[in-house]
Amino acid sequence: MAEIVIRNLRKEFGAFTAVQGSSFTIADGEFFMLLGPSGCGKTTTLRMIAGLEIPTSGEILIDGEEVSRRPASQRDIAMVFQMFALYPHLNVRKNIAYPLVSQGVAKPEVASRVAEVARILRIEHLLDKGVGGLSGGDRQRVALGRAIVRRPKAFMMDEPLGALDAEFRETMAEELRALHDRMGATTVYVTHDQLEAMQMGDKIVVMNHGVVEQFGKPQEIYDHPATLFVADFIGSPAMNTLRFEGAAQSGATEVSLGGARIALPQLQEAASTQSLVLGVRPEHITLGETGDLRGQVLATEYLGTTQIITIETAFGPLKARASSGLPAHVGETLGLSFTAPKLTLFDAVTGRALRSAANAGVHHG
Amino acid sequence: MAEVTLSGLSKAYGATQALRDVSLTIPDGAFVVLLGPTGAGKTTTLRLIAGLDRPDRGDVRIDGASVLNDTPAQRDIAMVFQQYSLYPHMTVRDNLAFPLRSPMIALPEDQIAARVAEVARVLRIPHKLDNKATALSGGEMQRVSIGRALVRNPRIYLMDEPLSSLDAKLRADLRIELKRIHAELGATFLYVTHDQIEAMTMASHVGVLDEGRLVQFGTPREIYEDPVSTYVASRLGQPRIALLPADAFGALATPPPGAAQIGLRPEHILQGEGAPATVHRLEHLGDQTRLHLTLGPHQIVTLADAHTALAPGDSLPIRPRNPLWFDARGNRLTAPQP
């Protein structure tokens, strides 16, 4: 159990700055996601929390204690990696018991803790098997067991599902989250997969080029991206971004997009530039016969319950999500309308979302 | 451009029966996706068509003529693999031109230049032609390896999970690109994947393989809406179809004779009336929310609005609406007409 506070954390490797001044708080018992593309600094951040890297500057507080200069062994944190290394000559029971045995824990205590962990992970039937013959999922469970058995203050997981195939990954993701719900231990989880982050996380930090772009609950980040990077990174398909020239004054409730008037949440600040970007999620585009903004259907992608329709407009191609029952044919011209309360307006120069009645409470990086 | 017919194809590797009596016609110009988990026989099928392996039984015909005795080169097929292997010391241009300079083809250089330029345009990499292959991003390298297949203008394209090593965003872009290339060329594609999104979005036809057997062949919509078995039904759809004992809803959904399981996709679950389920967990995926429900001893995952007011512990009545019924062996009752 632990609250982890990160303050102005920075890490330089020679001339390269991997993390430039991150600040965020991981509440006790949270399942916390560090999300971003490769090279964004998420793994470096995790390694600094775990004590595997010493920060260049900044603070890491675990339950109020500053630990950034302490060795990993004194932080009481367990790491789970993508490549799980088990001792091949030991059976499952001995693999799980290993960290306790090496700490000199008494035998009856070891036995009862291994039994408890096996029960939590539902691998009691495997305890006396060798690890060589186990499936990938069971090996991952044993590796988790070895982390859990120590009862650390927090778990650090670095893409633990990265090596698994798509179908199995889904199952393990659900299992990990259910495990967390049973144990309630603070978990920091690194991933580049936005869906995994949305699915499993209580909170998400989105990083890019060593900078925290946004920090918040998954739905809030999805609904109100703070930057164009987040708008593009979260969601599949990504948020549509329509670039246009126009004016955006504080108090405005609409913008003019090539003659089409588009209503949006009331702006609480003015743009510093004429270069603007309108952000629209695919499910907030309604297609019909009418609409000031028009476009031609380029492609349709059937997804079962829904379909993705790609439409060429004067502002570039847009993707709309619609019920798969909606007839849409490649080549036909349709009108588009947007769900006003769900729109975000960005300043194209800074890449930041303009503050509006809808996103005023959102935490920027 | 060609029609490919497989008849009674079987292949074993040692004790493992990889393919069992597979018959299938890939129409000229179709985009056929073979779908199934690891070990279902997808890659074996490709290898038999390409001529990299010989079937134990059965025949492979291209445009009506058996090709079993033809070498891979004689079959005039292009293959794209998951692991792109480009010549690292060559430029993109030379990598693309390489197949055309082979002794079997040996086109004049002016024609090679024209073909390479055309393919580079289709793949949107003309500005990269003079880069070394190693100076490209992963997505660009995969486009070049697809390009190397395209320059040859073969009768059939075989693709073995060409997108699976790429990240999600790039995969989504290349899905559309491949579909566009297919439409532009009008070529016959056979594509292997275990990614259901790729199967749903690109295929004109999907073939579902189960332990070496072809269990269903049809349009993505047919496979999704009219699956012949629980196995096929579980291959497509996110969240996965919920499979419960046929009597799980009592009088709310009376099982037809012979039914052992009821299959419920999100669109088969009416919310707000019926049997009381309990919300166990919510997953906010952004555009929608996945609801994990428990109904007595059963687990059901369905969808709700992104901004649903439901919370864990809430009670939510549900009832089936036009569910799918399966017998004890998992076969669909009132299966679709062949």
Side-chain angles (χ1 to χ4, degrees), chain B residues 91-124:
Chain B
T91 61
V92 170
R93 187 188 307 280
D94 287 336
N95 265 286
L96 288 175
F98 193 84
L100 302 178
R101 289 181 181 143
S102 78
M104 277 197 63
I105 302 178
L107 274 191
E109 280 299 321
D110 57 330
Q111 285 186 38
I112 290 179
R115 289 278 278 281
V116 167
E118 168 62 13
V119 165
R121 186 191 60 77
V122 169
L123 290 168
R124 298 179 182 159

Side-chain angles (χ1 to χ4, degrees), chain A residues 16 64 68 72 86 93 117 135 147 186 192 232 238 296 304 307 326 341 350 357:
Chain A
F16 175 71
S68 64
L86 302 176
R93 184 189 307 277
V117 164
S135 69
T186 309
H192 67 267
D232 186 57
Q296 195 182 31
Q307 61 179 334
L326 182 95
T350 63

